[in-house]
Amino acid sequence: MEDIVAGFVQAFDLLTGLDPALVEIVTRSMIVSLSAVALAAAVGLPLGAALALARFPGRRACLVLVNAAMGLPPVVVGLALYLLLSRSGPFGVFGLLFTPEAMIIAQAILVAPIITALTRQAVHDMWREYHEHLRSLGATPLRAVPTLLWDGRVSLFTALLAGFGRATAEVGAVMIVGGNIDHVTRVMTTTIALETSRGDLALALALGIVLLVVALAVNVAAFLAQERAAGSQGA
């Protein structure tokens, strides 16, 4: 028990003293996760809108695949990327393995289905509510996409927050493709796993507290966005 208490005391010392190693790891984690969400959003937003409005052969199969991809095992994604990015793999020539870029790709693959599915649902609901009005103005489903995305921005913001929360909590895939290299690819989740195995509870606890704060901030932001949207509709 004394070791645990001492670990918490040292963890708070690291946090209040803005320990350079702690700040470096947190900063790298935020950059990787935000970059992954941006990449996933670039794919997921238009794809989700297309799945909501377009009608084409195989659409139901695409919806099933997107929903199934939301449950992709991270270690399987990491393994697949490792094989693709290794020197003997088809993309080994780019030298991306064990770099932050590989970690961004891994997180983006895991986050993209979440953003796609939530975007599809938001756009579908908006189109069902406003399609008569939009059609009366001569808007086709394709032309209505920017309007629907703008009107559904709160739901889409929530989708991005959900993706960011998923990215910051990822450990399996980024451990495989990033290698957990000090000062290069070490992020919060992989550092917590490493330091806990080493018995260095102080740094692990400090990073765990940061992760909890990030998760709380994401949920608060999503809640406030939904409350604001509900208030606007009530007004």
Side-chain angles (χ1 to χ4, degrees):
M1 187 65 181
E2 292 180 359
D3 291 340
I4 296 176
V5 173
F8 273 105
V9 171
Q10 294 174 20
F12 280 108
D13 287 340
L14 292 175
L15 290 169
T16 56
L18 294 178
D19 179 74
L22 177 71
V23 172
E24 177 191 354
I25 292 169
V26 172
T27 301
R28 184 180 302 112
S29 299
M30 294 297 102
I31 291 174
V32 168
S33 295
L34 288 171
S35 299
V37 171
L39 180 59
V43 175
L45 291 177
L47 179 58
L51 289 174
L53 301 177
R55 295 293 182 269
F56 54 89
R59 177 177 175 273
R60 288 182 178 272
C62 290
L63 292 176
V64 172
L65 287 175
V66 168
N67 290 328
M70 293 175 66
L72 279 174
V75 291
V76 174
V77 172
L79 175 60
L81 272 180
Y82 180 90
L83 296 176
L84 291 173
L85 300 179
S86 64
R87 289 187 177 182
S88 58
F91 302 108
V93 65
F94 297 108
L96 293 175
L97 194 61
F98 303 138
T99 65
E101 289 76 12
M103 299 163 68
I104 291 171
I105 295 171
Q107 288 189 2
I109 291 173
L110 293 169
V111 170
I114 298 174
I115 295 178
T116 301
L118 294 178
T119 299
R120 189 209 69 80
Q121 188 61 51
V123 173
H124 173 76
D125 292 342
M126 295 294 295
W127 176 249
R128 186 172 56 182
E129 183 175 357
Y130 297 118
H131 75 279
E132 292 184 0
H133 176 67
L134 291 171
R135 286 189 183 279
S136 68
L137 297 176
T140 63
L142 181 61
R143 290 182 179 179
V145 167
T147 301
L148 295 174
L149 290 177
W150 174 251
D151 287 344
R153 60 190 179 278
V154 174
S155 297
L156 299 180
F157 177 66
T158 303
L160 295 180
L161 288 175
F164 178 71
R166 177 69 178 84
T168 55
E170 172 50 35
V171 57
V174 296
M175 180 81 81
I176 294 174
V177 301
N180 202 20
I181 304 171
D182 195 15
H183 303 299
V184 180
T185 59
R186 191 161 292 174
V187 292
M188 287 190 286
T189 51
T190 59
T191 304
I192 291 173
L194 175 65
E195 297 304 320
T196 301
S197 66
R198 288 177 173 177
D200 185 0
L201 294 180
L203 183 56
L205 287 171
L207 291 171
I209 292 170
V210 173
L211 268 178
L212 288 175
V213 171
V214 170
L216 178 62
V218 168
N219 282 278
V220 169
F223 175 78
L224 292 177
Q226 292 172 353
E227 286 288 301
R228 182 176 179 182
S232 298
Q233 291 176 356

